[in-house]
Amino acid sequence: MNFVEETDQIRAIQWVQEGLRILDQRKLPDQISYETVTTAKQVAEAIQSMKVRGAPAIGITAAYGVVLAARGQYASDPKNWKNKIDKDLKLLTAARPTAVNLFWAIHAMRELIGTIETDPVPPLLKFALRLHENDIAANRKMGETGADLLSETHGILTHCNTGSLATGGYGTALGVVRSAFKRGLNMIYASETRPWLQGARLTVWELQQDGIPATLIADSAAASLMHAKKIGWVIVGADRIAANGDVANKIGTYSLAVLARHHSVKFMVVAPTSTIDWDTKTGDKIVIEQRDSRELLMDCYFGRDSVIDAWNPVFDVTPGELIDAIVTEKGVVFNPNLYRMSTVK
């Protein structure tokens, strides 16, 4: 499990005998630091604090968190573990409000719990491992499918981090970058992605580990990059996709889509179908997470006790009408709308 290849070396979440081994992405690229968590509470904290990030990775991590919860509750009270585990599931569910993969994974694990009569750990762990494996396989499929659309493209721009750090392995949008690189495309640009700098700290570092060249740009340089005709596609991931194809993703994605349309640059979203929230009809119904203003102000600029106000939404919503293709493991939705999205349901 978690098989790697030359251009896919990173594994940010790994199941080990003691528990779940997590790469603390907040410390990258200066420090590669893994920690092993053994409780659902520790898993929830890792998700909330962004040690783990990226919708697919959050879902997989939550599934492993349920395994740890079951292991602890069954060991302490074999007869009543089902009643006691509900508190752990609610804790995991509350860790991040936008990534629909989190809710999907916990719902699937909750349904499985209802069928278990003996030791819950083996069947729950088997399911979580399979979820992890399936994510890697789906990412590789999406990578090849997305790369098929880039045959005439000379350059691409990606936003945030959507690679092995944000998934079970290989990546969604960065999976397309990996597949395109193996086919010869090497003009790859990554935006810095304020305020957490996932592009600067994570994407460029991750590609460097795998020998894939990438050029970093400031977020505000994207328009100039497009005007100079350096790229033909913008390729991003998604934290939640509404039923009509509107996409919630890292803040700044919407701006890139508007710029891309103005400059006749194509715009691709790459995400597994588990990211699609079929119960949310349009993007304006998606709850956007607001995070601490200090993440934007940064202590080094304004001081820990700064009174300067800041608005810090972590996501924005890109309307489906600005998206040329949504690539999933079940196929591609071109120019998404409610009807076309139903083809991958």
Side-chain angles (χ1 to χ4, degrees):
M1 213 275 290
N2 291 354
F3 51 96
V4 298
E5 58 183 46
E6 184 178 352
T7 58
D8 176 32
Q9 297 290 312
I10 308 300
R11 288 295 177 268
I13 44 179
Q14 305 165 11
W15 179 262
V16 294
Q17 186 175 359
E18 296 80 11
L20 185 61
R21 190 167 180 256
I22 291 174
L23 174 61
D24 188 345
Q25 299 187 34
R26 302 171 307 175
K27 297 179 179 179
L28 291 172
D30 295 329
Q31 183 180 351
I32 300 174
S33 175
Y34 282 90
E35 63 176 290
T36 301
V37 296
T38 58
T39 68
K41 183 178 180 180
Q42 290 174 329
V43 170
E45 188 278 330
I47 294 171
Q48 194 281 327
S49 65
M50 294 183 70
K51 294 177 184 176
V52 177
R53 41 148 299 283
I58 288 172
I60 295 165
T61 301
Y64 285 129
V66 176
V67 177
L68 294 173
R71 186 166 74 179
Q73 297 294 0
Y74 186 77
S76 64
D77 192 348
K79 292 184 178 180
N80 297 305
W81 70 271
K82 282 190 181 182
N83 294 327
K84 293 186 175 182
I85 200 174
D86 191 61
K87 182 179 179 181
D88 294 318
L89 299 186
K90 289 179 179 177
L91 185 67
L92 291 166
T93 301
R96 293 294 296 273
T98 305
V100 72
N101 306 62
L102 170 67
F103 311 116
W104 181 91
I106 293 176
H107 175 74
M109 296 292 269
R110 189 186 291 275
E111 287 193 334
L112 180 56
I113 286 171
T115 69
I116 298 172
E117 298 300 333
T118 56
D119 183 355
V121 175
L124 289 174
L125 178 57
K126 181 179 179 181
F127 184 91
L129 290 169
R130 186 167 70 247
L131 183 68
H132 197 164
E133 292 172 344
N134 288 346
D135 183 71
I136 297 172
N139 291 341
R140 287 186 167 153
K141 183 176 181 180
M142 289 187 291
E144 294 301 307
T145 300
D148 288 341
L149 303 179
L150 306 179
S151 58
E152 303 299 323
T153 299
H154 56 283
I156 53 182
L157 169 66
T158 189
H159 185 59
C160 195
N161 174 264
T162 56
S164 295
L165 291 171
T167 65
Y170 202 73
T172 54
L174 219 57
V176 174
V177 172
R178 284 188 164 91
S179 294
F181 172 74
K182 288 187 288 187
R183 300 184 189 192
L185 190 150
N186 56 19
M187 290 185 64
I188 301 163
Y189 296 87
S191 62
E192 59 179 351
T193 319
R194 288 275 295 147
W196 273 77
L197 300 175
Q198 291 98 328
R201 293 188 306 104
L202 305 181
T203 294
V204 175
W205 175 82
E206 180 178 329
L207 292 176
Q208 185 181 54
Q209 306 309 299
D210 293 334
I212 300 174
T215 300
L216 181 68
I217 67 166
D219 290 355
S220 53
S224 294
L225 184 75
M226 296 178 191
H227 180 72
K229 301 187 184 303
K230 296 287 189 180
I231 61 169
W233 282 84
V234 176
I235 308 176
V236 302
D239 281 80
R240 181 177 296 208
I241 302 175
N244 71 337
D246 294 346
V247 171
N249 193 51
K250 182 57 56 185
I251 191 74
T253 302
Y254 180 28
S255 300
L256 289 175
V258 172
L259 290 173
R261 183 56 55 96
H262 177 75
H263 291 92
S264 299
V265 171
K266 298 290 187 180
F267 195 89
M268 180 192 304
V269 175
V270 189
T273 52
S274 59
T275 304
I276 303 172
D277 182 357
W278 298 108
D279 294 328
T280 299
K281 298 304 180 185
T282 63
D284 59 2
K285 303 297 183 182
I286 297 175
V287 177
I288 299 300
E289 179 182 357
Q290 300 287 330
R291 291 184 65 86
D292 194 322
S293 63
R294 287 175 294 182
E295 294 179 357
L296 182 60
L297 296 172
M298 299 176 66
D299 294 343
C300 60
Y301 290 162
F302 295 103
R304 186 169 298 278
D305 299 319
S306 172
V307 296
I308 296 174
D309 193 21
W311 183 51
N312 188 24
V314 71
F315 304 107
D316 54 28
V317 176
T318 300
E321 64 194 44
L322 294 178
I323 299 169
D324 292 285
I326 295 179
V327 176
T328 78
E329 80 282 11
K330 293 184 179 180
V332 181
V333 181
F334 294 101
N335 306 309
N337 58 27
L338 190 62
Y339 170 74
R340 296 188 186 105
M341 287 296 297
S342 66
T343 62
V344 295
K345 191 169 185 178

